Amino acid sequence: MSQAEILHLAGRAMLLALQLAAPILLVSLAVGVLVSLVQAVTQVQEMTLTFVPKLAGVALVLVVAGGWMLRQVSDFTRGLFESIPRMLGVG
């Protein structure tokens, strides 16, 4: 296995991690900003108030996109296992 192949594989793994984390992070960011706006308007400065809406948003993302995320990870893993003989130079 050459250095280029290792770098390509690492790049694909990092891209997959970014694709899987992006929806969760974006929803968490959006919910956090909205709750902060509500807190600023109402002048309610409770630090724990952002936790429950963020948790609900992340749970909703996992319910909606969980199948897609699992399929992406499964396809990547299947591709890794199928490429083991080529990486080892067997067959």
Side-chain angles (χ1 to χ4, degrees):
M1 185 170 198
S2 70
Q3 186 177 10
E5 290 173 322
I6 293 171
L7 289 175
H8 177 70
L9 184 62
R12 283 184 45 216
M14 289 185 349
L15 182 62
L16 178 63
L18 179 66
Q19 288 174 343
L20 295 178
I24 295 171
L25 293 175
L26 290 175
V27 166
S28 181
L29 175 70
V31 170
V33 168
L34 287 174
V35 170
S36 295
L37 278 171
V38 169
Q39 283 181 330
V41 168
T42 61
Q43 294 182 356
V44 174
Q45 297 301 321
E46 179 62 37
M47 295 302 292
T48 59
L49 187 61
T50 61
F51 180 73
V52 173
K54 280 185 186 180
L55 185 64
V58 168
L60 182 65
V61 168
L62 289 176
V63 166
V64 171
W68 171 78
M69 291 177 174
L70 184 60
R71 213 171 315 111
Q72 295 287 30
V73 171
S74 296
D75 290 345
F76 181 75
T77 305
R78 186 177 302 112
L80 280 178
F81 281 122
E82 289 173 354
S83 66
I84 287 176
R86 185 185 50 80
M87 288 181 199
L88 296 176
V90 179

